[in-house]
Amino acid sequence: MADEALVRLRGVAKDYKRGSETVHVLHALDLDIPKGDFLALMGPSGSGKSTLLNLIGGIDRPTAGSIEIAGQRTDSMSDGDLGRWRANHVGFVFQMYNLLPVLTAERNVELPLLLTKLSAAERKKRANAALKLVGLSERAHHKPRELSGGQEQRVGIARAIVSDPTLLLCDEPTGDLDRKSGDEILDLLQALNQQQGKTIIMVTHDPHAAARAKHVLHLNKGQLGHEAAA
Amino acid sequence: MFKYLPLLWANLGRKRLRTSLTLASIVVAFLLFGLMQTLRVALTGSPELAGLDRLITMHKTSFIQSLPLAYLNRVKGVDGVLVASSQDWFGGMYQEDRNQLATFAIEAPTFFEVYSEYQLPPEQKQAFLQDRSSAIVGKLVAERFQWKVGDTIPMRSNIWTRKDDGGNVWPLKIAGIYEASNGDNQSIYMHYEYLNESRAEIRDMIGWVVVKVSDPDRSAEIARNIDALFVNSSTETKTSTEKAFIQGFANQMGNIGKLLTMVAAAVFFTMLLVTANTMGQSIRERINEIGVMKTLGFSGRGVTSLVLAEAILVTAIGGLIGLGLAALVSKGLSAAVAQFFPVLGMPAATWGIGAVLIVVLGSLAAALPCAQAGRLKIVDALRKT
């Protein structure tokens, strides 16, 4: 598994300063995640799950250690390079969807494509294709406040996959949804993993959600626990 | 940058009431700026419109004091003077007191030699020169009152009375309608002889003399020679270039111009605070969204540019509406105050200055919000959900 790792972490630690106190959130983690995996990260609140996800996604930097994604060291990239790398390689799905309320679903999905050189027509075409993939074509011109929570999260997923990223990082994607909507989102993530071959790392508290993943990793007090097949 | 327009536009519609109030404050600021520019130029004159080869000879004390008509011929005899023409203030009102029109009694034959920029058809010019009770009127004032060539208009004077009936109405037959390239298209020019022979108060006195010189480089010398003719007389003169005459008038109004500039600066400073506050508030409310955009790959500079563009867009919309309104109001005002400011109108340069102000003020208003947005750390921003 290690030889084919898409994500490779070595000795990754993360500390935060809280006043004069240093909080050690992650302790010298080693982790390999193969391409095409669907990994669930579980653990109690404050265990460092989201911090680990942020480090893999390049929106935070480790205090120590190295992070390599698809053969590229991301921990040593400049802010500008890291931004461009995120735009090309990572799709984020948030617990609270984080859609821009002033934009329609189509415009929200198009947002990452604004950073590319694609024409307006091509951007629109791709945004609509992503919306179709998540089953929301008919809601393309609705704003987030006109959508249900489940539909908002589908738009969030469409935005995450529209630029065809290497990695899909989901932070509690069903945490704000009822069971039915949550199941629909998990179905969608599973389909993206199985049919599109997307590598997915999902942080969750919910064992029911974690059961949809291929592997489950437990994190406790900043250290990785046992790995289990879901 | 155009691909971001829908995003910028959508952000302006986020809090419509707040955006409308901000826009209103910017509109008012630029409206006042446009009007003040109009007033400043009207009050301080337009020296650049002056002829370089023209001198003005007036009473040494003030141009509202008259000169003897005999001075005109003496000025004409000065070496270097090509032609000299007298003018007198009539103070015209048409129909109602509020319709005050700049009306001058002129020595007609020489007027066109001194002012070549006043153009009218030859037959109209001829008709004017041949009829002492006729007048020529500017194109704009003719349009305003729908006057036609051949009409006779009863022009009242608020200075002179007629010696025949004690009234103040001089019937003027419109012989021609002129267009002047110096912007003075709102005045009325009548014959001096007509006024001089029929007014009760004084006779053979003129307001000032306009002199055309053969060589502009000799203007100072010619002016000295003209004034030397009347030195130690009861009516001494002061001769200056037309440009200096207008500039001198402008200098008298200097404090008003400065005052208007200060008021405009205060208005803009207030507008700056309002816009900066609105932008700051808007960014604070959008910290999470900015975090999301950075997560998606937007750089700090990219996000900063969007905030800057948003501030400039709102300033540009308000600024252009404000300047447009100022241009319309100036046009409306020009008819009402034509007697005092025949060349009133928003100067074209105001648009250029306005464009610079839009960029500068928009940038200043966005400076702090831009710095906030640029510095924002993604992980901190995403916690603000």
Side-chain angles (χ1 to χ4, degrees), chain B residues 96-156:
Chain B
E96 296 172 48
D97 287 357
R98 65 188 174 92
N99 293 335
Q100 302 211 4
L101 304 172
T103 308
F104 302 91
I106 57 170
E107 189 191 39
T110 49
F111 175 81
F112 295 105
E113 295 177 49
V114 174
Y115 288 105
S116 55
E117 59 264 49
Y118 286 69
Q119 296 293 325
L120 72 168
E123 67 279 8
Q124 292 182 11
K125 185 174 172 181
Q126 200 55 38
F128 174 56
L129 292 173
Q130 286 173 354
D131 183 354
R132 298 208 311 184
S133 64
S134 69
I136 55 171
V137 300
K139 184 168 177 266
L140 292 181
V141 77
E143 284 171 1
R144 180 181 166 199
F145 294 107
Q146 297 178 324
W147 291 338
K148 300 184 298 295
V149 173
D151 288 352
T152 297
I153 52 171
M155 189 60 64
R156 279 189 293 140

Short mmCIF file of all heavy atoms in Angstrom, two decimals, chain B residues 96-156:
data_model
loop_
_atom_site.label_atom_id
_atom_site.label_comp_id
_atom_site.label_asym_id
_atom_site.label_seq_id
_atom_site.Cartn_x
_atom_site.Cartn_y
_atom_site.Cartn_z
N GLU B 96 -39.87 88.52 -17.37
CA GLU B 96 -39.91 88.44 -15.90
C GLU B 96 -38.53 88.80 -15.34
O GLU B 96 -37.52 88.62 -16.01
CB GLU B 96 -40.27 87.02 -15.46
CG GLU B 96 -41.67 86.60 -15.90
CD GLU B 96 -41.90 85.12 -15.62
OE1 GLU B 96 -41.60 84.70 -14.48
OE2 GLU B 96 -42.35 84.41 -16.52
N ASP B 97 -38.55 89.27 -14.09
CA ASP B 97 -37.28 89.68 -13.47
C ASP B 97 -36.26 88.53 -13.42
O ASP B 97 -35.06 88.75 -13.46
CB ASP B 97 -37.54 90.19 -12.04
CG ASP B 97 -38.22 91.56 -12.06
OD1 ASP B 97 -38.42 92.09 -13.17
OD2 ASP B 97 -38.56 92.06 -10.98
N ARG B 98 -36.78 87.31 -13.29
CA ARG B 98 -35.84 86.18 -13.15
C ARG B 98 -35.13 85.85 -14.48
O ARG B 98 -34.11 85.18 -14.47
CB ARG B 98 -36.54 84.95 -12.60
CG ARG B 98 -37.59 84.35 -13.47
CD ARG B 98 -38.34 83.25 -12.72
NE ARG B 98 -39.47 82.73 -13.48
CZ ARG B 98 -39.39 81.70 -14.30
NH1 ARG B 98 -38.24 81.07 -14.45
NH2 ARG B 98 -40.44 81.28 -14.96
N ASN B 99 -35.69 86.33 -15.59
CA ASN B 99 -35.03 86.10 -16.89
C ASN B 99 -34.00 87.18 -17.15
O ASN B 99 -34.18 88.07 -17.99
CB ASN B 99 -36.07 86.08 -18.01
CG ASN B 99 -37.00 84.89 -17.92
OD1 ASN B 99 -36.63 83.86 -17.35
ND2 ASN B 99 -38.21 85.04 -18.43
N GLN B 100 -32.92 87.16 -16.41
CA GLN B 100 -31.89 88.18 -16.57
C GLN B 100 -30.89 87.70 -17.62
O GLN B 100 -30.33 86.61 -17.51
CB GLN B 100 -31.20 88.42 -15.23
CG GLN B 100 -32.19 88.84 -14.16
CD GLN B 100 -31.60 89.75 -13.12
OE1 GLN B 100 -30.46 90.16 -13.19
NE2 GLN B 100 -32.40 90.11 -12.13
N LEU B 101 -30.66 88.52 -18.60
CA LEU B 101 -29.82 88.12 -19.73
C LEU B 101 -28.67 89.12 -19.89
O LEU B 101 -28.87 90.33 -19.80
CB LEU B 101 -30.65 88.09 -21.02
CG LEU B 101 -31.90 87.19 -20.97
CD1 LEU B 101 -32.74 87.38 -22.22
CD2 LEU B 101 -31.49 85.74 -20.82
N ALA B 102 -27.49 88.56 -20.12
CA ALA B 102 -26.31 89.42 -20.30
C ALA B 102 -26.48 90.22 -21.59
O ALA B 102 -26.44 89.63 -22.68
CB ALA B 102 -25.06 88.56 -20.35
N THR B 103 -26.68 91.52 -21.47
CA THR B 103 -26.92 92.37 -22.64
C THR B 103 -25.91 93.51 -22.66
O THR B 103 -25.72 94.19 -21.64
CB THR B 103 -28.35 92.94 -22.59
OG1 THR B 103 -29.28 91.85 -22.40
CG2 THR B 103 -28.70 93.67 -23.88
N PHE B 104 -25.25 93.67 -23.80
CA PHE B 104 -24.20 94.68 -23.91
C PHE B 104 -24.53 95.64 -25.06
O PHE B 104 -25.01 95.20 -26.12
CB PHE B 104 -22.85 94.03 -24.20
CG PHE B 104 -22.43 93.05 -23.15
CD1 PHE B 104 -22.76 91.70 -23.25
CD2 PHE B 104 -21.72 93.46 -22.03
CE1 PHE B 104 -22.39 90.79 -22.28
CE2 PHE B 104 -21.33 92.55 -21.04
CZ PHE B 104 -21.67 91.22 -21.17
N ALA B 105 -24.25 96.91 -24.82
CA ALA B 105 -24.36 97.91 -25.89
C ALA B 105 -22.97 98.06 -26.49
O ALA B 105 -22.01 98.41 -25.76
CB ALA B 105 -24.86 99.23 -25.32
N ILE B 106 -22.83 97.81 -27.77
CA ILE B 106 -21.49 97.75 -28.38
C ILE B 106 -21.37 98.70 -29.57
O ILE B 106 -22.38 99.12 -30.16
CB ILE B 106 -21.18 96.31 -28.88
CG1 ILE B 106 -22.27 95.85 -29.90
CG2 ILE B 106 -21.09 95.34 -27.73
CD1 ILE B 106 -21.95 94.58 -30.63
N GLU B 107 -20.12 99.00 -29.89
CA GLU B 107 -19.88 99.70 -31.15
C GLU B 107 -19.84 98.60 -32.22
O GLU B 107 -18.84 97.88 -32.36
CB GLU B 107 -18.54 100.45 -31.09
CG GLU B 107 -18.36 101.35 -32.30
CD GLU B 107 -16.94 101.89 -32.40
OE1 GLU B 107 -15.98 101.16 -32.13
OE2 GLU B 107 -16.81 103.07 -32.77
N ALA B 108 -20.95 98.48 -32.94
CA ALA B 108 -21.17 97.29 -33.76
C ALA B 108 -20.12 97.06 -34.85
O ALA B 108 -19.62 95.93 -34.98
CB ALA B 108 -22.57 97.35 -34.37
N PRO B 109 -19.77 98.04 -35.67
CA PRO B 109 -18.86 97.74 -36.79
C PRO B 109 -17.52 97.16 -36.33
O PRO B 109 -16.98 96.25 -36.96
CB PRO B 109 -18.67 99.10 -37.47
CG PRO B 109 -19.85 99.91 -37.04
CD PRO B 109 -20.18 99.46 -35.67
N THR B 110 -17.00 97.70 -35.22
CA THR B 110 -15.69 97.23 -34.78
C THR B 110 -15.76 95.96 -33.93
O THR B 110 -14.76 95.26 -33.76
CB THR B 110 -14.99 98.33 -33.94
OG1 THR B 110 -15.92 98.79 -32.96
CG2 THR B 110 -14.55 99.48 -34.83
N PHE B 111 -16.95 95.68 -33.41
CA PHE B 111 -17.11 94.50 -32.54
C PHE B 111 -16.62 93.24 -33.24
O PHE B 111 -15.87 92.43 -32.68
CB PHE B 111 -18.58 94.35 -32.14
CG PHE B 111 -18.88 93.11 -31.34
CD1 PHE B 111 -18.63 93.06 -29.97
CD2 PHE B 111 -19.39 91.96 -31.95
CE1 PHE B 111 -18.91 91.91 -29.23
CE2 PHE B 111 -19.66 90.81 -31.22
CZ PHE B 111 -19.42 90.80 -29.86
N PHE B 112 -17.05 93.07 -34.52
CA PHE B 112 -16.70 91.84 -35.24
C PHE B 112 -15.23 91.80 -35.64
O PHE B 112 -14.69 90.73 -35.91
CB PHE B 112 -17.59 91.67 -36.47
CG PHE B 112 -19.04 91.49 -36.11
CD1 PHE B 112 -19.96 92.51 -36.28
CD2 PHE B 112 -19.48 90.29 -35.56
CE1 PHE B 112 -21.29 92.34 -35.93
CE2 PHE B 112 -20.81 90.12 -35.20
CZ PHE B 112 -21.72 91.15 -35.39
N GLU B 113 -14.61 92.96 -35.68
CA GLU B 113 -13.17 92.98 -35.98
C GLU B 113 -12.38 92.55 -34.75
O GLU B 113 -11.34 91.88 -34.86
CB GLU B 113 -12.73 94.39 -36.41
CG GLU B 113 -13.37 94.84 -37.73
CD GLU B 113 -12.96 96.27 -38.06
OE1 GLU B 113 -11.76 96.59 -38.00
OE2 GLU B 113 -13.87 97.08 -38.36
N VAL B 114 -12.89 92.93 -33.58
CA VAL B 114 -12.20 92.56 -32.33
C VAL B 114 -12.49 91.10 -31.96
O VAL B 114 -11.60 90.37 -31.52
CB VAL B 114 -12.64 93.51 -31.18
CG1 VAL B 114 -12.05 93.04 -29.86
CG2 VAL B 114 -12.19 94.93 -31.47
N TYR B 115 -13.75 90.72 -32.15
CA TYR B 115 -14.15 89.35 -31.76
C TYR B 115 -14.47 88.53 -33.02
O TYR B 115 -15.62 88.39 -33.39
CB TYR B 115 -15.37 89.38 -30.85
CG TYR B 115 -15.08 89.90 -29.47
CD1 TYR B 115 -15.48 91.18 -29.09
CD2 TYR B 115 -14.43 89.10 -28.52
CE1 TYR B 115 -15.23 91.66 -27.81
CE2 TYR B 115 -14.18 89.57 -27.24
CZ TYR B 115 -14.56 90.85 -26.90
OH TYR B 115 -14.31 91.31 -25.64
N SER B 116 -13.44 87.93 -33.60
CA SER B 116 -13.67 87.16 -34.82
C SER B 116 -14.36 85.83 -34.51
O SER B 116 -14.84 85.15 -35.42
CB SER B 116 -12.34 86.91 -35.53
OG SER B 116 -11.44 86.30 -34.62
N GLU B 117 -14.38 85.44 -33.22
CA GLU B 117 -14.98 84.15 -32.89
C GLU B 117 -16.50 84.17 -32.86
O GLU B 117 -17.14 83.14 -32.69
CB GLU B 117 -14.45 83.63 -31.54
CG GLU B 117 -14.68 84.52 -30.33
CD GLU B 117 -13.48 85.39 -30.01
OE1 GLU B 117 -12.98 86.04 -30.96
OE2 GLU B 117 -13.06 85.44 -28.84
N TYR B 118 -17.11 85.37 -33.04
CA TYR B 118 -18.57 85.45 -33.08
C TYR B 118 -18.99 85.35 -34.55
O TYR B 118 -18.67 86.22 -35.34
CB TYR B 118 -19.05 86.77 -32.47
CG TYR B 118 -18.94 86.78 -30.96
CD1 TYR B 118 -17.70 86.80 -30.34
CD2 TYR B 118 -20.07 86.76 -30.16
CE1 TYR B 118 -17.59 86.78 -28.96
CE2 TYR B 118 -19.97 86.75 -28.77
CZ TYR B 118 -18.72 86.75 -28.18
OH TYR B 118 -18.60 86.74 -26.82
N GLN B 119 -19.71 84.30 -34.88
CA GLN B 119 -20.07 84.03 -36.28
C GLN B 119 -21.59 84.06 -36.48
O GLN B 119 -22.33 83.54 -35.65
CB GLN B 119 -19.55 82.65 -36.70
CG GLN B 119 -18.04 82.51 -36.68
CD GLN B 119 -17.35 83.37 -37.73
OE1 GLN B 119 -17.87 83.57 -38.82
NE2 GLN B 119 -16.18 83.90 -37.38
N LEU B 120 -22.01 84.69 -37.58
CA LEU B 120 -23.42 84.65 -37.98
C LEU B 120 -23.48 84.85 -39.49
O LEU B 120 -22.51 85.36 -40.09
CB LEU B 120 -24.26 85.66 -37.22
CG LEU B 120 -24.17 87.15 -37.50
CD1 LEU B 120 -25.34 87.87 -36.82
CD2 LEU B 120 -22.87 87.73 -36.99
N PRO B 121 -24.57 84.45 -40.14
CA PRO B 121 -24.66 84.58 -41.60
C PRO B 121 -24.45 86.03 -42.04
O PRO B 121 -24.90 86.96 -41.35
CB PRO B 121 -26.08 84.12 -41.91
CG PRO B 121 -26.45 83.24 -40.76
CD PRO B 121 -25.76 83.80 -39.57
N PRO B 122 -23.78 86.25 -43.19
CA PRO B 122 -23.44 87.61 -43.62
C PRO B 122 -24.65 88.53 -43.74
O PRO B 122 -24.57 89.71 -43.38
CB PRO B 122 -22.80 87.39 -45.00
CG PRO B 122 -22.37 85.98 -45.01
CD PRO B 122 -23.25 85.23 -44.10
N GLU B 123 -25.79 87.98 -44.24
CA GLU B 123 -26.96 88.85 -44.40
C GLU B 123 -27.50 89.31 -43.05
O GLU B 123 -27.99 90.43 -42.91
CB GLU B 123 -28.05 88.17 -45.25
CG GLU B 123 -28.72 86.97 -44.66
CD GLU B 123 -27.93 85.68 -44.80
OE1 GLU B 123 -26.76 85.72 -45.25
OE2 GLU B 123 -28.49 84.61 -44.45
N GLN B 124 -27.36 88.44 -42.04
CA GLN B 124 -27.83 88.82 -40.69
C GLN B 124 -26.89 89.87 -40.09
O GLN B 124 -27.33 90.83 -39.45
CB GLN B 124 -27.88 87.59 -39.78
CG GLN B 124 -28.95 86.58 -40.19
CD GLN B 124 -29.03 85.39 -39.24
OE1 GLN B 124 -28.44 85.39 -38.16
NE2 GLN B 124 -29.78 84.38 -39.65
N LYS B 125 -25.61 89.66 -40.34
CA LYS B 125 -24.62 90.63 -39.83
C LYS B 125 -24.87 92.00 -40.47
O LYS B 125 -24.85 93.04 -39.78
CB LYS B 125 -23.22 90.11 -40.18
CG LYS B 125 -22.09 90.92 -39.63
CD LYS B 125 -20.79 90.21 -39.94
CE LYS B 125 -19.59 91.04 -39.59
NZ LYS B 125 -18.34 90.34 -39.93
N GLN B 126 -25.14 91.97 -41.78
CA GLN B 126 -25.39 93.22 -42.49
C GLN B 126 -26.63 93.91 -41.96
O GLN B 126 -26.66 95.14 -41.75
CB GLN B 126 -25.54 92.89 -44.00
CG GLN B 126 -25.32 94.07 -44.93
CD GLN B 126 -23.96 94.73 -44.68
OE1 GLN B 126 -22.96 94.07 -44.43
NE2 GLN B 126 -23.94 96.06 -44.70
N ALA B 127 -27.68 93.11 -41.73
CA ALA B 127 -28.94 93.66 -41.22
C ALA B 127 -28.72 94.31 -39.86
O ALA B 127 -29.26 95.38 -39.55
CB ALA B 127 -29.99 92.56 -41.12
N PHE B 128 -27.89 93.69 -39.04
CA PHE B 128 -27.59 94.24 -37.71
C PHE B 128 -26.85 95.57 -37.82
O PHE B 128 -27.18 96.54 -37.15
CB PHE B 128 -26.76 93.21 -36.93
CG PHE B 128 -26.25 93.70 -35.59
CD1 PHE B 128 -27.12 94.18 -34.62
CD2 PHE B 128 -24.88 93.67 -35.29
CE1 PHE B 128 -26.65 94.63 -33.39
CE2 PHE B 128 -24.41 94.12 -34.07
CZ PHE B 128 -25.29 94.60 -33.11
N LEU B 129 -25.86 95.57 -38.70
CA LEU B 129 -25.05 96.79 -38.82
C LEU B 129 -25.87 97.97 -39.36
O LEU B 129 -25.60 99.13 -39.06
CB LEU B 129 -23.85 96.53 -39.74
CG LEU B 129 -22.81 95.55 -39.17
CD1 LEU B 129 -21.74 95.22 -40.21
CD2 LEU B 129 -22.16 96.12 -37.91
N GLN B 130 -26.93 97.65 -40.15
CA GLN B 130 -27.70 98.72 -40.78
C GLN B 130 -28.86 99.23 -39.93
O GLN B 130 -29.41 100.29 -40.21
CB GLN B 130 -28.23 98.23 -42.14
CG GLN B 130 -27.13 98.14 -43.19
CD GLN B 130 -27.60 97.50 -44.48
OE1 GLN B 130 -28.72 97.01 -44.57
NE2 GLN B 130 -26.74 97.53 -45.48
N ASP B 131 -29.24 98.49 -38.93
CA ASP B 131 -30.41 98.89 -38.13
C ASP B 131 -29.99 99.14 -36.69
O ASP B 131 -29.67 98.21 -35.96
CB ASP B 131 -31.47 97.78 -38.20
CG ASP B 131 -32.74 98.15 -37.45
OD1 ASP B 131 -32.76 99.20 -36.78
OD2 ASP B 131 -33.71 97.37 -37.53
N ARG B 132 -30.02 100.39 -36.27
CA ARG B 132 -29.52 100.74 -34.93
C ARG B 132 -30.41 100.25 -33.79
O ARG B 132 -29.99 100.19 -32.64
CB ARG B 132 -29.36 102.26 -34.82
CG ARG B 132 -28.35 102.78 -35.82
CD ARG B 132 -27.69 104.03 -35.38
NE ARG B 132 -28.58 105.07 -34.90
CZ ARG B 132 -28.16 106.27 -34.55
NH1 ARG B 132 -26.87 106.55 -34.60
NH2 ARG B 132 -28.99 107.20 -34.14
N SER B 133 -31.64 99.88 -34.10
CA SER B 133 -32.50 99.38 -33.02
C SER B 133 -32.53 97.85 -33.00
O SER B 133 -33.35 97.24 -32.34
CB SER B 133 -33.93 99.91 -33.21
OG SER B 133 -34.49 99.40 -34.40
N SER B 134 -31.61 97.26 -33.75
CA SER B 134 -31.60 95.78 -33.79
C SER B 134 -30.54 95.22 -32.82
O SER B 134 -29.75 95.98 -32.24
CB SER B 134 -31.31 95.30 -35.22
OG SER B 134 -29.97 95.61 -35.56
N ALA B 135 -30.54 93.93 -32.73
CA ALA B 135 -29.59 93.26 -31.83
C ALA B 135 -29.28 91.89 -32.41
O ALA B 135 -30.02 91.37 -33.25
CB ALA B 135 -30.19 93.11 -30.45
N ILE B 136 -28.15 91.35 -31.97
CA ILE B 136 -27.87 89.93 -32.28
C ILE B 136 -27.91 89.17 -30.96
O ILE B 136 -27.55 89.70 -29.90
CB ILE B 136 -26.51 89.74 -32.99
CG1 ILE B 136 -25.36 90.35 -32.17
CG2 ILE B 136 -26.54 90.30 -34.39
CD1 ILE B 136 -23.97 89.99 -32.70
N VAL B 137 -28.41 87.93 -31.03
CA VAL B 137 -28.57 87.15 -29.81
C VAL B 137 -27.84 85.82 -29.96
O VAL B 137 -27.71 85.28 -31.07
CB VAL B 137 -30.06 86.89 -29.49
CG1 VAL B 137 -30.80 88.21 -29.30
CG2 VAL B 137 -30.73 86.07 -30.57
N GLY B 138 -27.39 85.31 -28.84
CA GLY B 138 -26.69 84.02 -28.85
C GLY B 138 -27.65 82.89 -29.18
O GLY B 138 -28.84 82.96 -28.90
N LYS B 139 -27.08 81.82 -29.77
CA LYS B 139 -27.89 80.68 -30.22
C LYS B 139 -28.69 80.06 -29.06
O LYS B 139 -29.88 79.75 -29.20
CB LYS B 139 -26.95 79.63 -30.82
CG LYS B 139 -27.61 78.45 -31.41
CD LYS B 139 -26.59 77.65 -32.22
CE LYS B 139 -27.21 76.39 -32.77
NZ LYS B 139 -27.00 75.24 -31.91
N LEU B 140 -28.02 79.91 -27.91
CA LEU B 140 -28.69 79.23 -26.80
C LEU B 140 -29.85 80.05 -26.23
O LEU B 140 -30.91 79.50 -25.90
CB LEU B 140 -27.68 78.91 -25.67
CG LEU B 140 -26.63 77.86 -26.02
CD1 LEU B 140 -25.72 77.61 -24.82
CD2 LEU B 140 -27.30 76.55 -26.42
N VAL B 141 -29.63 81.37 -26.14
CA VAL B 141 -30.71 82.20 -25.58
C VAL B 141 -31.87 82.29 -26.58
O VAL B 141 -33.05 82.32 -26.19
CB VAL B 141 -30.17 83.59 -25.16
CG1 VAL B 141 -29.94 84.51 -26.34
CG2 VAL B 141 -31.12 84.26 -24.18
N ALA B 142 -31.56 82.26 -27.87
CA ALA B 142 -32.63 82.26 -28.88
C ALA B 142 -33.45 80.98 -28.79
O ALA B 142 -34.69 81.01 -28.86
CB ALA B 142 -32.02 82.41 -30.27
N GLU B 143 -32.74 79.87 -28.59
CA GLU B 143 -33.46 78.58 -28.45
C GLU B 143 -34.30 78.56 -27.19
O GLU B 143 -35.43 78.09 -27.18
CB GLU B 143 -32.44 77.43 -28.40
CG GLU B 143 -31.85 77.10 -29.76
CD GLU B 143 -30.68 76.10 -29.66
OE1 GLU B 143 -30.36 75.66 -28.53
OE2 GLU B 143 -30.11 75.81 -30.71
N ARG B 144 -33.74 79.12 -26.13
CA ARG B 144 -34.43 79.10 -24.85
C ARG B 144 -35.77 79.83 -24.93
O ARG B 144 -36.77 79.36 -24.40
CB ARG B 144 -33.53 79.75 -23.79
CG ARG B 144 -34.13 79.80 -22.41
CD ARG B 144 -33.18 80.47 -21.43
NE ARG B 144 -33.85 80.82 -20.20
CZ ARG B 144 -33.42 81.69 -19.33
NH1 ARG B 144 -32.28 82.33 -19.55
NH2 ARG B 144 -34.09 81.95 -18.23
N PHE B 145 -35.78 81.01 -25.61
CA PHE B 145 -37.03 81.80 -25.67
C PHE B 145 -37.72 81.66 -27.04
O PHE B 145 -38.68 82.38 -27.30
CB PHE B 145 -36.73 83.27 -25.37
CG PHE B 145 -36.27 83.49 -23.95
CD1 PHE B 145 -34.94 83.78 -23.67
CD2 PHE B 145 -37.16 83.37 -22.89
CE1 PHE B 145 -34.52 83.96 -22.36
CE2 PHE B 145 -36.75 83.55 -21.58
CZ PHE B 145 -35.42 83.85 -21.31
N GLN B 146 -37.21 80.74 -27.86
CA GLN B 146 -37.79 80.47 -29.18
C GLN B 146 -37.88 81.76 -30.02
O GLN B 146 -38.90 82.04 -30.64
CB GLN B 146 -39.17 79.82 -29.03
CG GLN B 146 -39.06 78.47 -28.33
CD GLN B 146 -40.41 77.81 -28.12
OE1 GLN B 146 -41.40 78.47 -27.84
NE2 GLN B 146 -40.44 76.51 -28.24
N TRP B 147 -36.81 82.54 -29.97
CA TRP B 147 -36.75 83.76 -30.77
C TRP B 147 -36.32 83.41 -32.20
O TRP B 147 -35.51 82.51 -32.41
CB TRP B 147 -35.73 84.74 -30.20
CG TRP B 147 -36.14 85.32 -28.87
CD1 TRP B 147 -37.39 85.41 -28.35
CD2 TRP B 147 -35.27 85.89 -27.89
NE1 TRP B 147 -37.38 86.01 -27.11
CE2 TRP B 147 -36.07 86.32 -26.80
CE3 TRP B 147 -33.90 86.11 -27.81
CZ2 TRP B 147 -35.57 86.93 -25.67
CZ3 TRP B 147 -33.39 86.72 -26.68
CH2 TRP B 147 -34.22 87.12 -25.62
N LYS B 148 -36.83 84.18 -33.12
CA LYS B 148 -36.43 84.02 -34.53
C LYS B 148 -35.93 85.36 -35.06
O LYS B 148 -36.27 86.42 -34.50
CB LYS B 148 -37.63 83.56 -35.37
CG LYS B 148 -38.24 82.23 -34.93
CD LYS B 148 -39.36 81.78 -35.85
CE LYS B 148 -40.54 82.74 -35.88
NZ LYS B 148 -41.25 82.87 -34.59
N VAL B 149 -35.17 85.26 -36.10
CA VAL B 149 -34.72 86.50 -36.76
C VAL B 149 -35.96 87.26 -37.24
O VAL B 149 -36.87 86.67 -37.82
CB VAL B 149 -33.77 86.16 -37.95
CG1 VAL B 149 -33.45 87.42 -38.74
CG2 VAL B 149 -32.49 85.52 -37.43
N GLY B 150 -36.01 88.56 -36.95
CA GLY B 150 -37.17 89.36 -37.34
C GLY B 150 -38.09 89.66 -36.17
O GLY B 150 -38.87 90.62 -36.22
N ASP B 151 -37.97 88.85 -35.09
CA ASP B 151 -38.79 89.12 -33.90
C ASP B 151 -38.34 90.42 -33.24
O ASP B 151 -37.15 90.79 -33.32
CB ASP B 151 -38.63 88.00 -32.87
CG ASP B 151 -39.32 86.71 -33.31
OD1 ASP B 151 -40.03 86.76 -34.32
OD2 ASP B 151 -39.13 85.68 -32.63
N THR B 152 -39.28 91.13 -32.61
CA THR B 152 -38.89 92.28 -31.80
C THR B 152 -39.16 91.94 -30.34
O THR B 152 -40.27 91.51 -30.00
CB THR B 152 -39.69 93.53 -32.20
OG1 THR B 152 -39.36 93.85 -33.56
CG2 THR B 152 -39.33 94.72 -31.31
N ILE B 153 -38.14 92.06 -29.53
CA ILE B 153 -38.28 91.68 -28.12
C ILE B 153 -38.18 92.93 -27.24
O ILE B 153 -37.31 93.78 -27.45
CB ILE B 153 -37.21 90.63 -27.70
CG1 ILE B 153 -35.80 91.13 -28.07
CG2 ILE B 153 -37.48 89.28 -28.36
CD1 ILE B 153 -34.69 90.26 -27.51
N PRO B 154 -39.07 93.05 -26.28
CA PRO B 154 -39.00 94.19 -25.37
C PRO B 154 -38.00 93.89 -24.25
O PRO B 154 -38.28 93.11 -23.36
CB PRO B 154 -40.42 94.29 -24.82
CG PRO B 154 -40.98 92.91 -24.94
CD PRO B 154 -40.24 92.20 -26.01
N MET B 155 -36.83 94.49 -24.32
CA MET B 155 -35.78 94.21 -23.32
C MET B 155 -35.77 95.31 -22.27
O MET B 155 -35.66 96.49 -22.61
CB MET B 155 -34.43 94.10 -24.03
CG MET B 155 -33.30 93.59 -23.16
SD MET B 155 -33.61 91.94 -22.51
CE MET B 155 -33.65 90.99 -24.01
N ARG B 156 -35.93 94.92 -21.03
CA ARG B 156 -35.92 95.91 -19.94
C ARG B 156 -34.51 96.05 -19.38
O ARG B 156 -33.77 95.07 -19.30
CB ARG B 156 -36.86 95.46 -18.81
CG ARG B 156 -38.33 95.75 -19.09
CD ARG B 156 -39.15 95.47 -17.86
NE ARG B 156 -39.17 94.05 -17.52
CZ ARG B 156 -39.09 93.59 -16.27
NH1 ARG B 156 -38.98 94.44 -15.26
NH2 ARG B 156 -39.15 92.30 -16.03
#
